């Protein structure tokens, strides 16, 4: 993967963890099944221009409590909030998840997918959420956010789950001369290749894999 010549610098770890998105609390609360899906950490996020902003560091904090039903519900919500922004249409689109299935069904699929992540790793968990444990309207761009935040934040050895969305895919298409990357609908094979490339590059560069993901995302936005 010839990523370095893209001209997009790899951000440092603090910059990655500080990546923040503004959100509309009232709009989200009106669309959730009940108030217990809302992580209280979101109410402590800093205000910027009259709106609160949630960063990756905060989402990781919520994810540390994903060992319970309530914790997994809140992880799903905060991952959606962080990945969506404030556009009303986008929020409504993401919240279709809650109208399309019962809370119990979502709970069961979240638990099964995250158990797979813990026991078998991110590629198997990707397959689970994309197949047997698929949650309607929760596509790869967002369930990989759930996997990313639920996975280990740092460490040596095993692959870490990483976010794969259309911006990352655009950058991969430009950087990976060996493949023509689709911009959506990635199979498990594509996710495996993505993790292979990012982890190899991160190891060579002496950085964490999510720093490469963040650089790919920034490059993809430039290309879009």
């Amino acid at each position: 993967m010839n990523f370095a010549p893209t001209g997009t610098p790899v951000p440092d770890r603090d910059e990655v963890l500080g990546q923040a998105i503004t959100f509309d609390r009232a709009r989200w609360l009106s669309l959730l099944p009940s108030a217990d899906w809302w992580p209280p950490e979101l109410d402590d996020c800093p205000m910027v221009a009259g709106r609160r902003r949630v960063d990756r560091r905060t989402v990781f904090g919520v994810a540390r409590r994903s060992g319970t039903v309530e914790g997994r519900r809140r992880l799903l919500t905060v991952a959606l909030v962080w990945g969506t922004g404030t556009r009303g249409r986008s929020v409504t689109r993401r919240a279709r998840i809650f109208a399309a299935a019962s809370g119990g069904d979502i709970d069961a699929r979240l638990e099964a997918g995250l158990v797979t992540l813990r026991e078998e790793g991110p590629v198997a968990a990707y397959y689970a959420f994309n197949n047997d444990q698929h949650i309607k309207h929760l596509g790869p761009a967002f369930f990989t956010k759930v996997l990313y935040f639920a996975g280990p934040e740092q460490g040596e050895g095993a692959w870490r789950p990483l976010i794969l969305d259309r911006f990352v895919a655009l950058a991969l298409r430009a950087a990976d001369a060996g493949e023509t990357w689709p911009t959506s609908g990635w199979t498990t094979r594509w996710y495996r290749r993505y993790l292979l490339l990012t982890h190899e590059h991160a190891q060579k560069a002496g950085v964490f894999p999510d720093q490469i993901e963040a650089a790919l995302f920034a490059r993809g936005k430039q290309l879009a």
Side-chain angles (χ1 to χ4, degrees):
M1 177 180 178
N2 191 18
F3 181 68
T6 63
T8 303
V10 175
D12 64 32
R13 180 70 178 170
D14 283 341
E15 186 178 348
V16 171
L17 294 176
Q19 183 186 6
I21 300 292
T22 302
F23 64 92
D24 185 328
R25 180 184 189 274
R27 179 172 284 129
W28 276 104
L29 280 173
S30 71
L31 296 168
L32 295 177
S34 61
D36 66 347
W37 291 72
W38 185 254
E41 290 90 341
L42 287 174
D43 295 330
D44 296 326
C45 289
M47 299 284 288
V48 177
R51 291 279 180 85
R52 294 197 184 275
R53 298 184 71 190
V54 58
D55 61 14
R56 292 196 192 209
R57 189 176 282 108
T58 300
V59 184
F60 272 123
V62 175
R64 293 186 194 110
R65 290 185 291 281
S66 61
T68 66
V69 171
E70 182 179 74
R72 287 186 289 274
R73 289 178 172 187
R74 291 176 173 179
L75 167 59
L76 174 60
T77 299
V78 75
L80 293 172
V81 169
W82 179 79
T84 300
T86 57
R87 289 183 59 189
R89 182 177 298 179
S90 297
V91 173
T92 300
R93 183 179 179 188
R94 299 298 164 227
R96 290 184 301 170
I97 293 166
F98 304 114
S102 68
D105 184 62
I106 295 172
D107 292 337
R109 293 174 185 276
L110 278 176
E111 181 178 17
L114 294 181
V115 166
T116 301
L117 173 64
R118 184 173 67 250
E119 295 183 351
E120 301 180 47
V123 175
Y126 184 96
Y127 179 87
F129 275 130
N130 211 29
N131 292 278
D132 297 346
Q133 305 306 330
H134 175 63
I135 298 170
K136 191 173 183 179
H137 301 306
L138 186 68
F142 276 83
F143 72 64
T144 58
K145 291 176 176 62
V146 173
L147 291 175
Y148 165 68
F149 288 112
E153 297 172 45
Q154 300 182 23
E156 301 294 334
W159 283 354
R160 304 295 176 275
L162 295 172
I163 299 166
L164 176 58
D165 62 15
R166 69 184 183 92
F167 294 118
V168 171
L170 282 171
L172 287 166
R173 176 181 286 190
D176 182 11
E179 298 279 3
T180 301
W181 280 80
T183 55
S184 63
W186 310 284
T187 63
T188 304
R189 182 182 77 83
W190 287 111
Y191 192 65
R192 181 185 290 110
R193 179 164 179 79
Y194 167 51
L195 294 186
L196 172 65
L197 292 171
T198 49
H199 281 72
E200 285 184 346
H201 191 79
Q203 185 175 28
K204 290 175 183 176
V207 299
F208 290 108
D210 62 356
Q211 291 175 251
I212 303 301
E213 173 258 302
L216 288 166
F217 176 83
R219 177 57 176 162
K221 291 199 79 170
Q222 292 174 350
L223 294 169

